[in-house]
Amino acid sequence: MKLNVRWSCLLCLVLIGIAIEGVQCKVVQFIFGDSLSDVGNNMYLSKSLAQANLPFYGIDFGNGLPNGRFTNGRTVADIIGDSTGLPRPPAFLDPSLTEDVIVESGVNYASGGGGILNETGGYFVQRLSLWKQIELFRGTKELITNKLGKQATDKFIGEANFVVALGSNDFINNYLMPVYGDSWKYNDQTFVQYLMETLQNQLLVLHNLGARKLMVFGLGPMGCIPLQRVLSTTGQCQERANKLAISFNKAASQLLAGLDSRLPNASFMFGDAYDVVDNVIRNPKNYGFDNADSPCCSFGRIRPALTCLPASTLCSDRSKYVFWDEYHPSDGANQLIANELIKKFGFLGGGNSSAPVPAPESAIAPSPDEE
């Protein structure tokens, strides 16, 4: 009941807007995340090796051209925002971003390769860690304050919806790779504790900057992504990585519950779709999928192909694949994940996460004579 009441109020504010000192402001989103939420920031990081700026990324989104999303269609944050009536926030590094756009649509700071920890994803060269994203938000708040004034800005930010969705890179592109110092400095338990201590400090900074309605997305069974399978000796899920995701989710849930109970005027919530995604991977046909262990976009038999390239081969029906590339879910899988999170966060009564997901209109790949 607590969730539904809080977020029903948020939805009402989306519909009617908020009159602040004569300025009509919408309820918007500020999104902090990694490649699962990136909508184009890394496209403007010229030295970053984590890129989604080549075909066939974005093939089922808008005009079908790459837009910075690391999937064929929408991100989970896209879908949740659409379902709740919130505008899609543009990438912070988009050159067209202005104060007016921020007030109208919010901002997405998510960056492929980014993590909770600054050291995560170092071999991608350029990426925005969560600390860096928070620093950028601090600057955003100053811009809004210059436009609206302090009182109006505090009201605007206090009613905004904050999403924090990071963590998988801290394991896959840090702790589980022996080239990183964290892999030998910590054990499984102490590394999760290190992440929670860091995340708590980051969330407290966001609260001090005015965040009052905040959601943290948990991790899925990251040991089952195609990359982890192909790197194993058996082709099966890597259970250690999955157990780390479960430990992260349990610790993050406790952290958010504690912050929610003691921070003034705050609604800090945690939600994950681990169980549903795990079930989809183990029983894909129950959810309308045919393949849950390999990427739709691959470089023939060369595995792992760490990114989707123009020379890659696409599966014949993208709506039947759980994974788009070696790392990232497809649009159809993101829809299912979003449905589960919508239920857990109390948005609109949720959706039916067990129902087969309809394919985007262009999700069936053209035959060679149609290209």
Side-chain angles (χ1 to χ4, degrees), residues 16 43 48 52 98-99 149 154 272 306 347 354:
I16 65 175
M43 293 179 69
S48 178
T98 65
E99 293 95 328
D154 290 345
D272 71 85
L306 298 182
F347 288 122
S354 64

Side-chain angles (χ1 to χ4, degrees), residues 25 30 96-107 139-148 156:
C25 293
F30 293 104
S96 66
L97 187 72
T98 65
E99 293 95 328
D100 289 336
V101 172
I102 294 170
V103 171
E104 181 73 17
S105 301
V107 185
T140 299
K141 181 179 179 181
E142 292 176 2
L143 286 176
I144 301 172
T145 301
N146 290 337
K147 179 179 180 61
L148 301 180
F156 172 63

Side-chain angles (χ1 to χ4, degrees), residues 273-294:
Y274 185 98
D275 290 341
V276 168
V277 176
D278 185 62
N279 198 23
V280 171
I281 290 170
R282 299 182 191 282
N283 304 285
K285 292 189 182 298
N286 292 348
Y287 295 82
F289 297 103
D290 290 337
N291 187 300
D293 58 15
S294 57

Side-chain angles (χ1 to χ4, degrees), residues 68-128:
R69 290 169 172 80
F70 287 75
T71 183
N72 61 309
R74 303 159 297 168
T75 69
V76 169
D78 283 334
I79 296 166
I80 291 178
D82 293 348
S83 298
T84 56
L86 294 168
R88 290 181 181 174
F92 173 82
L93 294 178
D94 187 329
S96 66
L97 187 72
T98 65
E99 293 95 328
D100 289 336
V101 172
I102 294 170
V103 171
E104 181 73 17
S105 301
V107 185
N108 184 319
Y109 304 92
S111 171
I116 293 170
L117 306 175
N118 284 336
E119 61 264 32
T120 290
Y123 62 77
F124 293 125
V125 184
Q126 276 188 305
R127 73 282 179 218
L128 305 177

Side-chain angles (χ1 to χ4, degrees), residues 285-352:
K285 292 189 182 298
N286 292 348
Y287 295 82
F289 297 103
D290 290 337
N291 187 300
D293 58 15
S294 57
C296 172
C297 185
S298 63
F299 203 69
R301 295 188 177 183
I302 301 176
R303 299 280 308 280
L306 298 182
T307 188
C308 186
L309 299 167
S312 299
T313 301
L314 294 186
C315 58
S316 60
D317 187 347
R318 298 187 287 278
S319 70
K320 298 298 184 182
Y321 274 65
V322 173
F323 291 100
W324 167 244
D325 62 13
E326 298 281 6
Y327 288 95
H328 306 102
S330 64
D331 180 277
N334 281 338
Q335 176 73 67
L336 188 145
I337 295 167
N339 287 349
E340 181 67 10
L341 291 174
I342 286 169
K343 283 171 40 178
K344 290 198 171 180
F345 288 124
F347 288 122
L348 304 178
N352 182 6

